Structure formats: structure tokens, C-alpha cells
Amino acid sequence: DGIRPAIGRLTNAYFDYIDGYIYILNDWIYNPERPVKPNCYNLFTAFTGNRKERWQLRVYGSGIVEIMLNGKMIPPNVTMANGAIGFGTSPRQPDQPHTIFELAFKASPGRFAVQFHDPGPRFGCEVLETEIVTFTGTLNEDGGSDVTTISESEFEDLMAETDEDDGTKLDPPTTTTTPPITNADG
């Protein structure tokens, strides 16, 4: 309600911040071909909390969410994220079914950025397509968010900057491809 999309080349992205959780809807208009298979995933590479929290979150076609926070895998029994995937139409794309990813995860307020890597029609699960823009802004402590877009290279520069508070350097994302497919359904 009242949340305007941030427009990329491959997606219409919606962001909100409520009660310590960032909510993301990735309206992935680039995949009108087929629903996402259970073993495929949308990779969200992000930072939150003024770059103190570095995330890699995978939302699988099965609905499972895998979380890596600051380089450490979070055990599946720790509830700090939920995700879902659908295939259908949306308000900005009412005439063409496509993939829609949802993700909510516990995050600190402050500056944030999210880059999307998704299964696309050219490669299915074998290679993830990267949205050419990254979404960045502020998660407001009292709720809501401000969002704009930046280029992939600007995102990489942000990830490589040294944090003035503690001197740590953030590494850029290292993975944009899925593991090898092990079954014939791929």
C-alpha cells in the first residue's frame, strides 16, 4: 500500500522496513518463460545497518531461504528470514506472467543496498542473471525506506569501501552462479 517501485531493467522492486525487518518484493519481469524450479534460487546480495551487516540470501523455488551473514552461514533453525516465490501477473505487468520473489529479513536501520541475481529465461538455473542496477537507500528507524538505483560498479565500490567506524573492508559478492545441477529436471 503506497509503496512505489524502484525500477530496474529486469525488475520492479518494492522495499519497506517495519519493526526491524526489511521487506522486498522482486517483481522479476525478465522471466516470463517458466516458474522457478524448487532447486533454483534468487540470490540477494546486500548490506544493511550502514554496511555493518553483509548478506547473501538465497530464496529457492521451494520456499527455503539460506542465509549467510558477515561471511557465516546461519543455521536453518534460526528464524530471521522468510521467502516465497510465485509465477503470475502483477500490477505493473498485468498482461504477462513472470517470476515474483518475496523476502523479509531482520536488518538494522541505516543505509542499505541490495543487488538481485535471478534465474532467467536464457539459462534456467545454470546461470543467474544480474539486474544491472542495484537498489540503495535508507531503512528508517521509525519505519519505511527511501530507495534509489545505482550501477553495479557503484555497488561494488560501496562494498569495497572501508567503514569509517571500525576500519573493516567489505568484500564484493563472489558468487552469481548456481551450483551444478545434479538432476535431469534442472
Side-chain angles (χ1 to χ4, degrees):
D1 247 344
I3 298 173
R4 292 184 300 179
I7 307 297
R9 190 174 113 209
L10 307 175
T11 190
N12 301 312
Y14 300 80
F15 297 86
D16 202 2
Y17 187 68
I18 303 169
D19 297 330
Y21 280 80
I22 182 172
Y23 293 85
I24 303 170
L25 188 138
N26 175 7
D27 197 8
W28 189 251
I29 59 176
Y30 183 60
N31 183 19
E33 302 288 324
R34 59 185 167 264
V36 174
K37 294 187 183 279
N39 63 323
C40 297
Y41 60 87
N42 178 181
L43 173 64
F44 295 82
T45 303
F47 69 77
T48 57
N50 298 319
R51 296 181 311 142
K52 293 196 183 315
E53 301 160 339
R54 293 178 293 136
W55 303 87
Q56 286 195 344
L57 301 111
R58 294 179 180 195
V59 178
Y60 284 86
S62 64
I64 292 172
V65 178
E66 286 183 349
I67 307 164
M68 183 176 289
L69 174 58
N70 295 332
K72 296 185 176 138
M73 287 299 295
I74 303 299
N77 62 337
V78 176
T79 307
M80 62 187 317
N82 290 303
I85 293 180
F87 190 81
T89 60
S90 62
R92 292 192 54 86
Q93 201 79 9
D95 298 324
Q96 183 173 19
H98 55 279
T99 305
I100 301 170
F101 296 92
E102 293 182 65
L103 175 65
F105 62 97
K106 191 167 184 57
S108 298
R111 191 167 184 195
F112 81 97
V114 180
Q115 187 176 59
F116 298 150
H117 310 274
D118 302 69
R122 294 187 302 162
F123 303 109
C125 293
E126 296 80 31
V127 176
L128 297 179
E129 309 276 351
T130 298
E131 169 61 67
I132 62 168
V133 300
T134 296
F135 304 96
T136 186
T138 304
L139 301 175
N140 302 315
E141 203 161 325
D142 58 348
S145 62
D146 304 309
V147 181
T148 190
T149 58
I150 59 174
S151 71
E152 184 178 4
S153 63
E154 288 172 301
F155 176 68
E156 289 171 0
D157 289 346
L158 275 176
M159 293 294 280
E161 285 179 12
T162 301
D163 190 321
E164 297 101 26
D165 292 336
D166 64 12
T168 59
K169 186 175 177 174
L170 303 178
D171 296 324
T174 57
T175 296
T176 57
T177 59
T178 61
I181 302 303
T182 57
N183 62 32
D185 293 349

